[in-house]
Amino acid sequence: MKNLVVLCLIFFIGYRPSFSQTQVNPDISVIPDFRTSWHNEPGTEDKNHLNFNLEEVELAIQAPLNPYARADVFVAFTGQEDEPVDIEEAYFTILKGLPLNFNIKGGKFLVDFSKLNSAHPHAYPFVYRPLYQSNYFGDEGLKDEGVEFNTLLPTGDVYTKISATIGTGNSLDGERNNLFYASRMNSFFTLSDYTVLETGISAATGISDSTSKRFKYLNGDLKYKWRKDQYTSFTLWAEGLWSRSAGLSTWGFYTAANYQFKRRFEIGSKFDLSQTIDNKDLTRMVSVNFNFLPVEETLVFRLVVSNTKPEGSKSFSAVMLQTVFSLGPHKAHAF
């Protein structure tokens, strides 16, 4: 029944009669994420087997509502028995017309917390979500139902944005009376004709599902990019999270690098260290990826080799080939 309701909603959004002159047909995109993998993780049923998996199919519906606002809806078809269809995001954004150049976002959305959290996984230059984000935010990232306010600060030639989010906390603990709060400030610096630097600091607080206690998150992020020309670039990311919940302080960290050396070829690596919100056991993960982009922004193949070492357990390795392609204007890799 849920699938039928979602499909009817999609049809209604995609095909609308012209009730007013301001309505237009939305941009509709479909992005499948197909994965072929092998691993030797102890205690798993598919150990040492070749696995084929359609991770998800994302449907993006996006359009201006009027000259001052727009709407974005992202639906994921996962194929899972418990939740085959998921409304990943559904929100409106007021882009102009408000005092002090404020923007307002309302609905269900990925929270503006860290550089990576608000990006969809298919746009990452690597395959696996960083360990600390999976351990602290879950497989779908830190998202909530609420409202976000953001504006640009008068910092001259340095682009600086500040945002504040108030959410229901429903995605964190299932109780709407425990509000969730987050904020982020990020700045963008032009260092030279070829290099730019983006830095950010984020903070959040809410009630944790795993501890049933209030948590506090503090996050720092950095992105450095050197681009010699259209097809030669080097990008470096680093993010770290400090958490405090139920009297326990824990942390997580990752750093990643990506080098585009030809028009269609990239190579990269990622290093993760992470605890969890309620456990100080440290997990390490190292991965190397090779990206092939036969058609710019519409098709990408990512081959990744990784090794993971949970504390107190044996390390295990994995090999995965990810294929992501885009039908429509919402691209497969734009992060």
Side-chain angles (χ1 to χ4, degrees):
M1 182 62 184
K2 182 178 180 180
N3 290 0
L4 180 61
V5 172
V6 172
L7 290 174
C8 290
L9 175 63
I10 293 169
F11 176 80
F12 178 74
I13 295 174
Y15 176 74
R16 296 179 297 179
S18 298
F19 295 115
S20 71
Q21 294 182 353
T22 61
Q23 290 182 328
V24 295
N25 292 326
D27 293 330
I28 298 178
S29 304
V30 179
I31 305 178
D33 181 350
F34 184 74
R35 302 184 178 187
T36 304
S37 62
W38 172 93
H39 67 84
N40 61 356
E41 182 177 359
T44 56
E45 294 181 356
D46 56 353
K47 174 184 176 182
N48 293 324
H49 286 78
L50 188 63
N51 302 289
F52 299 93
N53 179 40
L54 182 60
E55 183 75 6
E56 73 169 27
V57 177
E58 180 180 282
L59 176 66
I61 305 168
Q62 304 170 279
L65 297 173
N66 54 53
Y68 298 91
R70 63 173 291 114
D72 298 84
V73 177
F74 299 93
V75 181
F77 299 87
T78 63
Q80 300 177 6
E81 293 183 1
D82 55 341
E83 194 172 16
V85 180
D86 178 38
I87 305 297
E88 289 189 325
E89 297 187 272
Y91 59 88
F92 69 88
T93 308
I94 300 177
L95 299 169
K96 57 184 180 179
L98 298 175
L100 303 177
N101 293 320
F102 266 101
N103 294 341
I104 296 179
K105 178 188 291 187
K108 181 180 181 180
F109 52 86
L110 289 163
V111 178
D112 186 19
F113 183 92
S114 83
K115 172 64 177 177
L116 191 71
N117 184 69
S118 56
H120 290 188
H122 62 73
Y124 300 167
F126 38 80
V127 176
Y128 298 111
R129 182 186 295 274
L131 277 179
Y132 95 83
Q133 295 223 345
S134 297
N135 289 344
Y136 288 89
F137 307 157
D139 293 336
E140 297 182 1
L142 184 60
K143 62 182 177 181
D144 205 358
E145 299 166 11
V147 61
E148 174 195 302
F149 304 88
N150 65 74
T151 189
L152 298 179
L153 298 181
T155 52
D157 294 335
V158 177
Y159 171 96
T160 301
K161 188 180 81 167
I162 187 169
S163 69
T165 302
I166 303 174
T168 63
N170 187 43
S171 62
L172 302 173
D173 70 342
E175 297 182 9
R176 292 180 176 272
N177 58 340
N178 294 318
L179 293 181
F180 167 79
Y181 305 94
S183 63
R184 181 170 188 255
M185 182 174 72
N186 65 293
S187 297
F188 187 89
F189 304 87
T190 300
L191 303 181
S192 71
D193 292 341
Y194 304 105
T195 57
V196 294
L197 176 69
E198 184 177 0
T199 61
I201 185 169
S202 308
T205 183
I207 304 297
S208 167
D209 180 37
S210 59
T211 65
S212 300
K213 302 292 184 180
R214 177 162 294 278
F215 67 81
K216 298 177 182 178
Y217 288 160
L218 184 63
N219 190 97
D221 61 82
L222 176 147
K223 179 181 179 181
Y224 169 87
K225 187 164 189 175
W226 169 81
R227 178 179 286 275
K228 178 182 178 182
D229 52 50
Q230 187 177 0
Y231 301 117
T232 307
S233 65
F234 173 79
T235 309
L236 175 69
W237 297 265
E239 292 190 11
L241 174 80
W242 173 85
S243 168
R244 181 75 174 175
S245 178
L248 183 67
S249 295
T250 58
W251 59 274
F253 166 83
Y254 89 92
T255 182
N258 194 74
Y259 177 53
Q260 181 185 15
F261 58 93
K262 292 287 185 179
R263 178 173 181 173
R264 296 182 174 88
F265 297 96
E266 300 174 348
I267 190 170
S269 63
K270 183 163 68 71
F271 176 75
D272 293 87
L273 283 173
S274 180
Q275 299 174 323
T276 66
I277 193 171
D278 57 356
N279 194 316
K280 281 184 169 290
D281 288 348
L282 193 64
T283 300
R284 170 195 56 80
M285 182 177 182
V286 180
S287 62
V288 177
N289 61 279
F290 180 81
N291 303 338
F292 175 53
L293 296 69
V295 182
E296 297 177 28
E297 296 188 338
T298 58
L299 177 64
V300 58
F301 296 96
R302 298 187 181 102
L303 177 65
V304 59
V305 180
S306 65
N307 181 269
T308 304
K309 176 63 172 69
E311 187 167 317
S313 302
K314 288 185 177 181
S315 64
F316 61 91
S317 300
V319 181
M320 178 184 292
L321 175 63
Q322 180 193 45
T323 305
V324 180
F325 59 91
S326 173
L327 301 173
H330 190 67
K331 299 307 180 185
H333 55 98
F335 177 74

